[in-house]
Amino acid sequence: MTADSLALTPETLAQHEPFLRAVVRGLLRDENQLQDAVQETWLRALGRRPRSETTTRGWLRTVATNVVRDARRGAARRGVRERAAARAEAIESTAETVERLATQREVVGAVLALREPYRTVVLLRFYHDLAPAQIAERVDRSAATVRSQLARAQAILRDELDRRVEGGRKTWMLLATPTRSATTLGVPALLAGVGVASLVGFTTWSVLTTPSPPRATDSLVAAQGVAAAVETLIEPAEIAPPVDVRSRTSIAPQQDGKPGDASRAAKRAKLGRLDVHGLLDLAVQSQRAIRDKLLTPDKKWLKENAALLELPNTGVCRLVSGREDTIPLRGGGSYYSFATLSHSYDDEPDISYGQGALGSGFYGGSTGFFLELGDVPLAELSSSQTRPTWLPEERAKGWDVLWSPITQDMLRDSEFRSSTRELTGGRRTQVGRTYLLRSVMDREHDHLVALRVLERSDDAVTLAWRILHAWPMADARSGNGPREGEYPDVPDGPKWLEDLSVDQLTDLLRRIREHAQPKLFEVPKDLAKRYAKATKTSEDSFAVTGGIARILHRGAWLPIVEQRGGGAYYSFLERDNEYNGYAELELQQDRYSSGFAGSDKGYLLDLGPLPFESLRTVLKDGPPEDLTERQLEAWDFLWTVRATVDDNGRRKLSDADRSRAGKLGVDRGVPALLGNTYVLRAARFDNHDHLVVFTVIGADEIGHTIAWRILKSWAVER
């Protein structure tokens, strides 16, 4: 929509006069001022246009709010002058006003910084003045869930304001809620109220998908100022257990005594009464407890290596393998970085551990070189390149390589790779042995580390380490922020989690996921009923050719999802959400894609929001009407392209087809939009090849609901 098309005409405005009067009446509640405010709104609306694309009613509502605000400002200024003449000492100082407004700005900032679903329920409750039952109906959740989310939001806000405002809770409570001695607020409070209402109101329109009709109570914040809003917002609300609104450190009720097993722990947590957010929090807290128990070195190793740990750039670490589904880090604690001191695969890992061996090759190439030194205490090694006299001659070459400058060009050079092959690859470790590791991570770090094995098993190893030398890295990158699997907003867990063993915590995590599975993946009954006929498999088909499925936002629910990949994938062949060789569709950052393991295996075409008749045409194998020339060419391409098998047994497209796919844009991801219909051709999978049409029929904070049908299948050449 262009700016010109947003201009308002008198005829257009006249159609909305009843709506405008209702809005103004709700803001003023004074019939004597109603007509003046309506006329002033007409004049302002005709004299300007919206700054951006918006609805006419939304624009009129904004103009009317500004008119009433200006009128109130004028009245407030007159009142201030009158009160100042009578009692000047009652007016707060400029410094006090500035301090209070700054605090109120922090309140607004904290509200707008809330993550979903908390921000939406807070705005609906305290800006739109909706009751929890009304909010539940609007966002399609239970009232108990809404009350729980409101309570958690209030707890988050209290903690956030404690952190933001100097002086803590007493300060921001006092400054954000000015004293009112009469029903009419003073100018500072009124200005603060209008400012907060405008900001929060604007955000509400951007967050909510369904605008509400005008209500007198919509002006709650604007009319009463920030004081009443803050008082209501920060006080604990009536909620459904098991959420503890007094503290963010626990989402389950505290009880005396230690749990005897995971079954009792599950009962203590009352899993059946937790919504997906409560289950997610408890799962993350359980994973953290497992992480701390498994990755924290035994105290005896810290004590025995106390002298080493007094030296710079030293430490003791523990790695485990086979824990990807229980430790909240990518790689499950089997990686470690001596640069970042992190166990995450995403955080510059130097080493990995699995099946009793250390490795140092990541991102598809070898970046680490190992040299065994034997039984050598780390404290005896120096930062000198000079070969020690005790080093065997057969290891001298390896020593020189590890101490020499190594560039990325060298790593790509076939001759260099051949000459250093014996230094790369995994190393079976032995207790009491020391190893040198040269780790060269492109644009991250380059250093030489000495490692000594303190204890090991097939699924865990404890190492003492010391960085001997570091080389400068050109264009080194800084931290990348939160990574998949990290949930910084989840509070600390209840104390009783610490009393559980790793096996008990693992069993508790399994029970949590069992409770979460239906909440995450069950298709809403109304959608299942509405689209059952369109997705029904024909009676003459031996295979299922249609259905309704859920696909989750990638990374958002990993701790409570049983399936590999966190439920962010879907296979129309297997009809499941596992990340495996059959997965064809991925949902990530509100985009659909069909490329896995570094290659594009499927091709996507976005048909946009199709009318029902056009969708019926698609289901009958025909192109919908009104396609653009590019869309029509892409449609034909998806129906006709065939992959061939190369000498290595991999399915691929011809150079011409690959170039055509790139020009048509079907080899890239597409925006995932509610109501849009897509066509996916699974052309390069080893085990199947079919054309699928699917429509996004539902979208929420958890993921998308899609209705799909397989239009055609092709035999796969083996």
Side-chain angles (χ1 to χ4, degrees):
M1 182 179 293
T2 65
D4 291 339
S5 66
L6 293 171
L8 301 175
T9 64
E11 292 75 14
T12 301
L13 295 177
Q15 298 174 3
H16 298 286
E17 183 170 359
F19 166 79
L20 180 61
R21 285 184 173 275
V23 170
V24 175
R25 184 176 289 110
L27 294 171
L28 283 176
R29 298 185 178 88
D30 187 342
E31 292 293 333
N32 295 327
Q33 302 176 19
L34 175 64
Q35 188 59 36
D36 290 341
V38 171
Q39 291 179 359
E40 179 64 22
T41 301
W42 290 142
L43 291 174
R44 291 194 187 185
L46 287 170
R48 67 185 72 173
R49 68 184 61 167
R51 293 181 180 178
S52 61
E53 183 173 331
T54 184
T55 62
T56 301
R57 288 192 170 190
W59 167 240
L60 288 176
R61 185 188 187 92
T62 300
V63 175
T65 300
N66 291 338
V67 168
V68 174
R69 179 195 62 192
D70 293 345
R72 283 179 175 156
R73 281 178 171 173
R77 291 191 184 101
R78 289 192 299 272
V80 168
R81 289 193 294 270
E82 294 169 359
R83 287 191 295 274
R87 200 177 70 179
E89 68 276 10
I91 301 178
E92 65 181 356
S93 68
T94 301
E96 291 172 333
T97 302
V98 171
E99 186 177 8
R100 182 163 50 78
L101 290 177
T103 301
Q104 292 169 356
R105 182 172 60 185
E106 294 292 348
V107 174
V108 175
V111 170
L112 299 185
L114 285 171
R115 64 184 173 98
E116 293 299 345
Y118 306 119
R119 183 173 61 175
T120 293
V121 295
V122 165
L123 293 173
L124 286 171
R125 178 69 185 94
F126 300 106
Y127 175 70
H128 282 276
D129 195 29
L130 298 183
Q134 295 171 302
I135 298 174
E137 182 178 356
R138 176 171 293 194
V139 299
D140 194 24
R141 300 172 202 150
S142 68
T145 297
V146 170
R147 288 193 295 270
S148 172
Q149 292 170 351
L150 283 170
R152 293 207 51 202
Q154 293 162 7
I156 293 171
L157 288 172
R158 287 195 298 274
D159 287 354
E160 180 66 14
L161 292 173
D162 288 347
R163 184 186 64 81
R164 288 190 181 201
V165 179
E166 183 177 356
R169 187 165 303 183
K170 289 184 179 180
T171 300
W172 62 257
M173 283 283 289
L174 179 64
L175 292 173
T177 56
T179 302
R180 292 162 295 177
S181 58
T183 55
T184 303
L185 291 175
V187 172
L190 180 60
L191 288 175
V194 171
V196 171
S198 299
L199 181 55
V200 176
F202 175 81
T203 306
T204 303
W205 286 106
S206 67
V207 170
L208 303 181
T209 57
T210 307
S212 62
R215 296 161 42 96
T217 51
D218 281 350
S219 58
L220 173 68
V221 179
Q224 297 181 347
V226 75
V230 172
E231 288 174 350
T232 310
L233 196 60
I234 60 181
E235 286 302 314
E238 179 184 355
I239 61 166
V243 178
D244 181 0
V245 300
R246 297 167 297 179
S247 170
R248 293 190 67 222
T249 61
S250 175
I251 63 167
Q254 301 289 332
Q255 299 180 15
D256 296 330
K258 295 183 179 181
D261 53 29
S263 177
R264 289 177 58 189
K267 291 180 180 179
R268 166 172 286 188
K270 299 185 178 178
L271 301 182
R273 299 173 63 180
L274 293 178
D275 63 7
V276 288
H277 298 284
L279 292 169
L280 176 66
D281 282 2
L282 186 57
V284 171
Q285 292 160 355
S286 300
Q287 287 185 319
R288 289 174 181 169
I290 295 173
R291 175 199 63 194
D292 294 342
K293 291 177 182 292
L294 290 179
L295 299 184
T296 301
D298 193 295
K299 291 181 180 179
K300 71 175 183 179
W301 299 121
L302 301 179
K303 185 176 181 180
E304 290 184 10
N305 289 273
L308 171 70
L309 296 177
E310 292 180 358
L311 300 175
N313 301 317
T314 59
V316 176
C317 64
R318 190 167 192 265
L319 288 73
V320 298
S321 61
R323 285 286 179 174
E324 290 82 358
D325 61 337
T326 56
I327 292 182
L329 297 167
R330 189 178 178 198
S334 61
Y335 296 88
Y336 191 74
S337 169
F338 303 107
T340 64
L341 309 184
S342 168
H343 284 83
S344 174
Y345 177 84
D346 296 316
D347 208 359
E348 305 183 28
D350 290 298
I351 56 172
S352 63
Y353 188 74
Q355 299 179 340
L358 287 173
S360 186
F362 314 105
Y363 312 121
S366 295
T367 58
F369 304 89
F370 281 105
L371 177 67
E372 182 177 347
L373 298 182
D375 185 5
V376 180
L378 298 184
E380 295 183 7
L381 295 173
S382 69
S383 300
S384 172
Q385 183 177 352
T386 304
R387 297 179 195 167
T389 57
W390 45 260
L391 185 71
E393 185 63 29
E394 64 269 17
R395 296 176 184 167
K397 178 182 176 181
W399 175 277
D400 292 340
V401 170
L402 267 61
W403 275 97
S404 301
I406 299 177
T407 66
Q408 291 299 311
D409 288 338
M410 293 172 64
L411 292 175
R412 289 187 288 266
D413 182 72
S414 59
E415 184 176 344
F416 177 80
R417 293 201 308 269
S418 177
S419 65
T420 58
R421 183 171 294 117
E422 63 181 13
L423 300 174
T424 60
R427 286 291 185 277
R428 296 291 298 183
T429 56
Q430 298 182 41
V431 173
R433 311 294 284 183
T434 296
Y435 304 82
L436 280 186
L437 167 68
R438 174 69 180 275
S439 178
V440 185
M441 307 294 291
D442 186 26
R443 297 183 61 194
E444 292 181 342
H445 65 263
D446 180 2
H447 54 209
L448 182 66
V449 186
L451 314 171
R452 185 171 177 83
V453 181
L454 302 179
E455 67 174 351
R456 64 166 292 276
S457 64
D458 285 345
D459 54 11
V461 65
T462 301
L463 304 170
W465 56 270
R466 180 184 180 188
I467 298 177
L468 301 179
H469 188 76
W471 287 262
M473 176 66 68
D475 301 324
R477 295 174 293 196
S478 57
N480 298 316
R483 296 166 176 85
E484 185 173 288
E486 297 181 359
Y487 298 84
D489 292 337
V490 175
D492 295 335
K495 293 296 184 182
W496 55 262
L497 280 178
E498 300 175 3
D499 299 326
L500 298 180
S501 68
V502 171
D503 288 342
Q504 290 171 340
L505 287 165
T506 302
D507 189 52
L508 175 60
L509 191 59
R510 177 185 61 79
R511 293 169 183 266
I512 292 171
R513 289 168 176 168
E514 288 177 352
H515 280 80
Q517 198 77 0
K519 299 178 185 292
L520 296 172
F521 290 101
E522 281 188 0
V523 174
K525 293 181 179 179
D526 60 326
L527 294 179
K529 183 178 180 180
R530 188 183 312 166
Y531 291 91
K533 184 177 181 180
T535 58
K536 182 179 179 181
T537 298
S538 61
E539 296 181 357
D540 57 351
S541 175
F542 290 101
V544 176
T545 58
I548 304 175
R550 293 277 291 167
I551 182 169
L552 310 187
H553 295 296
R554 177 171 172 176
W557 309 97
L558 281 171
I560 55 175
V561 177
E562 298 174 348
Q563 294 87 341
R564 184 187 175 206
Y569 300 86
Y570 191 74
S571 167
F572 300 103
L573 181 69
E574 295 293 308
R575 305 185 305 284
D576 63 29
N577 296 86
E578 290 283 353
Y579 175 65
N580 54 27
Y582 298 94
E584 299 151 296
L585 185 67
E586 176 190 14
L587 174 59
Q588 180 180 14
Q589 297 180 343
D590 294 322
R591 292 183 67 84
Y592 288 128
S593 61
S594 187
F596 312 105
S599 62
D600 295 313
K601 294 187 176 182
Y603 301 91
L604 278 165
L605 171 62
D606 182 1
L607 297 178
L610 293 181
F612 184 76
E613 289 302 322
S614 296
L615 181 58
R616 179 179 295 178
T617 301
V618 172
L619 295 177
K620 293 181 179 179
D621 304 344
E625 298 180 357
D626 302 325
L627 287 185
T628 65
E629 184 176 346
R630 189 199 68 82
Q631 286 178 315
L632 189 58
E633 185 179 354
W635 171 275
D636 292 337
F637 174 80
L638 295 183
W639 275 93
T640 58
V641 66
R642 293 303 305 271
T644 59
V645 180
D646 63 15
D647 295 337
N648 296 317
R650 293 190 297 260
R651 291 173 58 78
K652 67 175 187 178
L653 300 188
S654 66
D655 292 341
D657 282 339
R658 189 166 61 250
S659 175
R660 187 180 175 200
K663 291 179 180 179
L664 295 173
V666 295
D667 59 347
R668 297 184 289 273
V670 295
L673 302 175
L674 177 64
N676 276 24
T677 295
Y678 304 84
V679 179
L680 185 152
R681 173 69 186 275
R684 294 180 49 220
F685 286 77
D686 295 333
N687 39 40
H688 65 284
D689 181 0
H690 54 213
L691 187 73
V692 183
V693 59
F694 66 93
T695 299
V696 185
I697 60 176
D700 52 43
E701 60 175 330
I702 297 175
H704 288 183
T705 303
I706 58 174
W708 59 272
R709 178 179 288 184
I710 296 175
L711 300 181
K712 183 177 176 61
S713 297
W714 288 266
V716 175
E717 182 182 353
R718 303 288 183 179

